Amino acid sequence: MIDKSSPIPVYYQLKEDIKRKISEGVWKVGKCIDSERELSEGYGVSRMTIRQALGELVHEGILVRKKGKGTFVCEPKVKQKDMMSFSEIVSKLGMRLKTEIISFDTINTPEEMEEVFPFEHVYKINRMRIVDNEAVANEVVYIPCDYCGYMDKDMLKGSLFDILKKFGYSIQYAESSIEAIIMDDELKALFRLEDQEPLLKNVSKNKDINDKVIFIEEAIYRSDKYILEVNISRREGIIK
């Protein structure tokens, strides 16, 4: 299983083989995998190599360590890292996505959005995103009617990014504010849950290459099912 003569690092080969075993059901979601000692003996590699591979899998959200108990297989999460639509992310993960349209209305542009959207009316789209039969996200989108022309509920069951491409818009980046929120009774009903789960709220202005805001989205995600990676870097200016 492990080719020590290969140019591919041993820890990486090990990590990929553990991922394969998880995908094939050797270790199921919620179950404890073999101990470091058992893995070391089984693969014929050092425990340090085992720790490196497991550490990366923990970082990727595939495994979780529980002190005094062992290392367990995590439930798969929807993970967003790059500028992609929710539909694209779920598709790449091989999961099944269903979109339920809660409401689709034409409304007067909210006062707080008039500076961004100098139009009389916007579409307000409220959608639930169901991944593998579990409600993972609630998305409320505001987009000027002038940008889109005709839309209907059936169109909105797919990717909003794909719809916008038909009207000549390509989303390049988003300005977002992210906060943790507490699940109340209304949100429990919305996500079809009896117990509280951690939630993440993301309010974003989604822009095209010309820095034009195409739509504003207020999304609430179950953070036990969804990961949003944010990469922050500091760029030093050059003074000449």
Side-chain angles (χ1 to χ4, degrees):
M1 289 183 289
I2 299 298
D3 182 1
K4 294 182 180 179
S5 65
S6 170
I8 301 173
V10 171
Y11 86 89
Y12 186 83
Q13 295 181 56
L14 175 61
K15 184 179 81 167
E16 291 302 303
D17 197 61
I18 291 173
K19 287 167 66 175
R20 177 187 62 80
K21 286 183 176 179
I22 291 171
S23 67
E24 292 177 356
V26 176
W27 293 311
K28 299 184 183 297
V29 171
K31 299 300 181 182
C32 185
I33 70 169
D34 291 348
S35 67
E36 287 185 4
R37 179 184 58 78
E38 290 169 330
L39 290 171
S40 177
E41 293 174 355
Y43 284 100
V45 299
S46 70
R47 292 183 70 166
M48 185 177 294
T49 301
I50 298 293
R51 287 193 192 104
Q52 186 176 3
L54 296 183
E56 291 208 0
L57 292 170
V58 169
H59 178 72
E60 292 173 13
I62 295 172
L63 297 175
V64 61
R65 288 192 177 103
K66 296 182 180 180
K67 191 172 181 179
K69 294 183 178 180
T71 304
F72 293 77
V73 179
C74 290
E75 188 171 349
K77 294 186 180 183
V78 178
K79 185 175 184 179
Q80 180 170 355
K81 182 177 181 180
D82 302 310
M83 192 68 242
M84 297 171 63
S85 72
F86 193 87
S87 300
E88 287 178 287
I89 297 165
V90 174
S91 176
K92 283 184 176 293
L93 291 171
M95 298 168 138
R96 291 174 290 108
L97 174 65
K98 178 183 177 183
T99 300
E100 294 183 359
I101 312 302
I102 296 176
S103 62
F104 174 44
D105 303 297
T106 300
I107 64 170
N108 292 328
T109 302
E111 186 176 347
E112 67 273 15
M113 297 182 187
E114 288 178 352
E115 187 174 339
V116 178
F117 296 144
F119 304 100
E120 187 175 355
H121 297 108
V122 296
Y123 289 125
K124 181 180 179 182
I125 305 160
N126 189 338
R127 309 191 295 179
M128 284 301 299
R129 310 289 257 170
I130 316 296
V131 180
D132 287 347
N133 296 320
E134 289 194 273
V136 171
N138 175 241
E139 302 170 343
V140 178
V141 172
Y142 301 87
I143 182 168
C145 299
D146 295 57
Y147 289 177
C148 294
Y150 176 77
M151 287 199 299
D152 60 32
K153 286 188 176 182
D154 285 337
M155 293 171 65
L156 295 171
K157 291 180 180 178
S159 167
L160 184 59
F161 280 33
D162 288 344
I163 296 172
L164 291 171
K165 284 180 183 177
K166 294 178 182 178
F167 296 110
Y169 298 107
S170 178
I171 303 302
Q172 297 297 314
Y173 69 102
E175 293 178 354
S176 302
S177 63
I178 305 166
E179 63 176 322
I181 60 174
I182 297 173
M183 178 176 280
D184 57 19
D185 289 341
E186 184 178 348
L187 288 170
K188 281 184 184 179
L190 188 64
F191 282 88
R192 304 161 198 181
L193 294 170
E194 294 183 1
D195 300 319
Q196 280 198 348
E197 295 290 349
L199 297 176
L200 190 69
K201 183 175 182 180
N202 181 26
V203 179
S204 60
K205 294 179 181 178
N206 297 268
K207 300 184 176 185
D208 67 7
I209 196 169
N210 299 312
D211 202 39
K212 177 180 179 180
V213 179
I214 305 302
F215 69 90
I216 293 174
E217 181 180 69
E218 298 174 356
I220 297 175
Y221 302 100
R222 280 183 58 180
S223 59
D224 63 325
K225 301 288 183 182
Y226 176 88
I227 299 173
L228 175 61
E229 286 193 355
V230 180
N231 298 312
I232 300 174
S233 63
R234 178 177 178 179
R235 297 182 180 179
E236 298 291 345
I238 299 176
I239 301 175
K240 294 184 178 180

